[in-house]
Amino acid sequence: MNKIGMIVPKDLVKTATEAMNDSGVEITLLEGSMDEGVRMVNDLADNPYEVLIARGGTDELLKKSGIEIPIVTIPITPTDILRAMKTGEKKGSKIALIAFQNMMPAIKGYEEVMEYEIEKCVVESSKEVEEKIAMFASEGFDTIIGGGIVGDLGTKYGVHTIVINTGKDVILRSIQEAKRLAAAMREEKEKGEKFRTVVEYAYDGIISIDRDGRINVLNPSAENLLRKKNPRLIGKNIQEVFPQIDLVDTLNRGVEETEVIKNIHGSPFIFSKIPIHVEKETIGAIAIFQDTGKIQRMEEKIRRESVKTGHFARYTFDNIQSVSDVMRESIQIAKEYAKTNSTVLIEGETGTGKEIVAQSIHNASRRAHDPFVAVNCAALPESLLESELFGYVPGAFTGADRKGKKGIFELAHGGTIFLDEISEIHPRLQGRLLRVIQEKQVMRIGDNRVIPIDVRIIAATNRNLEQLVEEGHFREDLYYRLNVLRLLLPSLRERREDIPLLLEHFLEQYSERMGKEKICMEKDALATLCQYPWKGNVRELKNFAERLVVMAQKTTIQESDLKERFLGRGNKPQKVKQEVQLASVEKNTIEQVLRQHGGNVSKAAVTLGTSRTTLWRKMKKYDIDVSK
């Protein structure tokens, strides 16, 4: 909604109303002139206007009054002067014009066109208008032309008065300009509010100074980190308050600095200092900073969560339950791969057991007694994944451990490294990974020394790497380096004969874990489950088994029980409605397990038999808020 006010004299009210109606812009029309108009604006409590429109003397007085509201001027044109002069010539023989300074361009334009000079005087206030009318009347002028106030005062001195009227088109243009100005101001206000919100709620400390070195932004995080909570700091010179930051130096040199360590109150902080440039002129500088201890704690937390299985493999081929020919063939191929030292690429849909097979290959190989280190390439940002994979030397970057850190390749030396979701690795790191595979050596970040490694690489993906290569998202040379020994794990839909075996195993496992009597499936119920699509494969079946143990009210489950409680009444398992019902059951189970563990996602993932990444994905899918 436009909050625009327009102040016009009574002679202009009709024309202004017509212009306002034609414009379609909602405007508050205020009738007043000169001092009266200014008084009307000043008397408004909590002024509701974003923009004001005014003309002539009222416009000039408003601008001089110091009012903070932007004012759009209704211009007086030479045509308006011509029209007033023609009317005046019909009423009197001796004409004078009283004008404000902002009317003079129009008067001069009229004089140039008509080639004669009008008898005129320039005034600055209502008092001067009356004085000039009296003066002209005493000098024999019988007609006075001017703004709205002239019409109010003329009769008092026995002269004709002609009010300079403005055409509707001119007022209409002023309205459109006011509308554009109001919209622009509103947009700037919204931007300012967004900026304020970002700054106020940012975890990083933020300090900004103007061109004179005075603090103009100091967010709450900066106050907390620097232990300075004082509203009077705004406006103070930063050298008086925080000389250690050297932000004035950034202002003077106009050069950006990043990852600068500063000790303040005995604590190390990492600073980025950036000059603020407008059209090549430095008008200020901003410092963004964090507590290095906090950065290190966050980094360690991410590392603990990303390395999923530690440095050992728990599963062997004996843990893989299957009677299907297709799965047994895959297992047999994997056992053959275990005898070699070549790189393996495991492909398969989510939930097909790629990591279990990777651990089994490791445990069946000559490296079984050496480390098995797994990392999810999709769980870490590029910079952290790089340091996680290759390690770093002391002081390699801000926030780094002062002793340096071994990378996963070094930790896995002699053993196996499992790179899960390899398709998600950043293109820049793909090059470094390729060199590691080719040269069998790594170089820590910040070091110039290479470290020989003996590592067997097993990579896994649920995406089509060949397609990603064709699309330019995955390096072709890396793909061929990884795709030495290819293992494709079948989906559960391709091995439906394994469903009864797996289901019985999972039901027994969860019944024992929860201290419940073992659940048995009737043939009709088992047949229904064997026809279900199981898009999440073995992981989805395992989760279903846990839901069943948690929610079942009896130990023998029939087909009607599944349809009534889990799969949707009266629908075949292939139907979408059944899948929706299962999704609802899955959502309820996740929420229940999260409640059991007090919202701890890691513990819930262990109970559900899934990875943290998959659990987070499902929580996002079902809009589950862990805080609740």
Side-chain angles (χ1 to χ4, degrees), residues 503 507-508 511 515-522 525 548-558 561-562 565-566:
L503 184 61
L507 288 174
E508 182 176 350
S511 296
K516 290 190 174 184
E517 190 174 345
K518 183 180 176 182
I519 291 176
C520 298
M521 307 294 295
E522 289 288 356
L548 201 59
V549 173
V550 170
M551 301 177 65
Q553 302 299 315
K554 53 185 180 179
T555 57
T556 301
I557 304 299
Q558 299 175 332
D561 297 319
L562 293 177
R565 296 292 305 280
F566 299 100

Side-chain angles (χ1 to χ4, degrees), residues 5-14 16-17 27-41 44 49 52-54 58 148 152:
M6 181 161 58
I7 307 169
V8 294
K10 63 182 178 183
D11 305 79
L12 206 56
V13 169
K14 182 180 178 182
T17 302
I27 293 177
T28 302
L29 201 60
L30 305 171
E31 183 184 326
S33 182
M34 298 287 290
D35 295 327
E36 182 184 6
V38 175
R39 195 161 44 248
M40 290 172 66
V41 173
L44 291 170
Y49 302 116
L52 287 172
I53 303 172
T58 307
D152 296 333

Side-chain angles (χ1 to χ4, degrees), residues 442-459:
V442 295
M443 183 185 295
R444 293 185 185 181
I445 297 172
D447 202 355
N448 57 8
R449 179 177 62 93
V450 295
I451 303 171
I453 55 167
D454 173 22
V455 173
R456 203 256 181 94
I457 296 175
I458 301 178

Side-chain angles (χ1 to χ4, degrees), residues 290-302:
Q290 288 182 318
D291 180 353
T292 58
K294 181 180 179 182
I295 296 174
Q296 290 172 355
R297 290 190 295 273
M298 289 175 64
E299 183 180 320
E300 289 301 323
K301 181 180 179 182
I302 294 173

Side-chain angles (χ1 to χ4, degrees), residues 444-589:
R444 293 185 185 181
I445 297 172
D447 202 355
N448 57 8
R449 179 177 62 93
V450 295
I451 303 171
I453 55 167
D454 173 22
V455 173
R456 203 256 181 94
I457 296 175
I458 301 178
T461 179
N462 58 16
R463 299 179 67 184
N464 189 326
L465 286 187
E466 283 189 64
Q467 183 179 341
L468 293 178
V469 169
E470 291 175 2
E471 294 171 354
H473 299 308
F474 200 86
R475 289 182 63 132
E476 186 176 18
D477 46 5
L478 177 59
Y479 170 69
Y480 288 121
R481 280 288 181 179
L482 294 172
N483 193 22
V484 177
L485 301 178
R486 181 170 178 263
L487 181 63
L488 180 61
L489 296 185
S491 67
L492 198 53
R493 298 182 299 281
E494 297 171 285
R495 47 183 285 218
R496 293 186 185 276
E497 59 265 48
D498 283 341
I499 292 175
L501 176 67
L502 290 167
L503 184 61
E504 182 178 4
H505 171 72
F506 294 144
L507 288 174
E508 182 176 350
Q509 184 182 74
Y510 285 119
S511 296
E512 182 177 348
R513 184 180 298 175
M514 299 181 190
K516 290 190 174 184
E517 190 174 345
K518 183 180 176 182
I519 291 176
C520 298
M521 307 294 295
E522 289 288 356
K523 289 183 178 180
D524 57 350
L526 196 57
T528 296
L529 294 176
C530 287
Q531 294 304 311
Y532 186 74
W534 301 111
K535 292 183 179 180
N537 295 293
V538 179
R539 184 180 293 123
E540 184 181 2
L541 179 64
K542 187 176 182 180
N543 294 342
F544 173 79
E546 182 174 9
R547 287 196 299 273
L548 201 59
V549 173
V550 170
M551 301 177 65
Q553 302 299 315
K554 53 185 180 179
T555 57
T556 301
I557 304 299
Q558 299 175 332
E559 181 184 23
S560 58
D561 297 319
L562 293 177
K563 290 182 177 180
E564 183 174 323
R565 296 292 305 280
F566 299 100
L567 302 180
R569 187 185 300 275
N571 287 321
K572 293 181 180 180
Q574 292 88 348
K575 297 297 182 182
V576 174
K577 187 174 180 181
Q578 178 184 356
E579 294 179 30
V580 172
Q581 184 69 15
L582 274 169
S584 176
V585 173
E586 185 176 54
K587 178 177 184 287
N588 292 336
T589 301

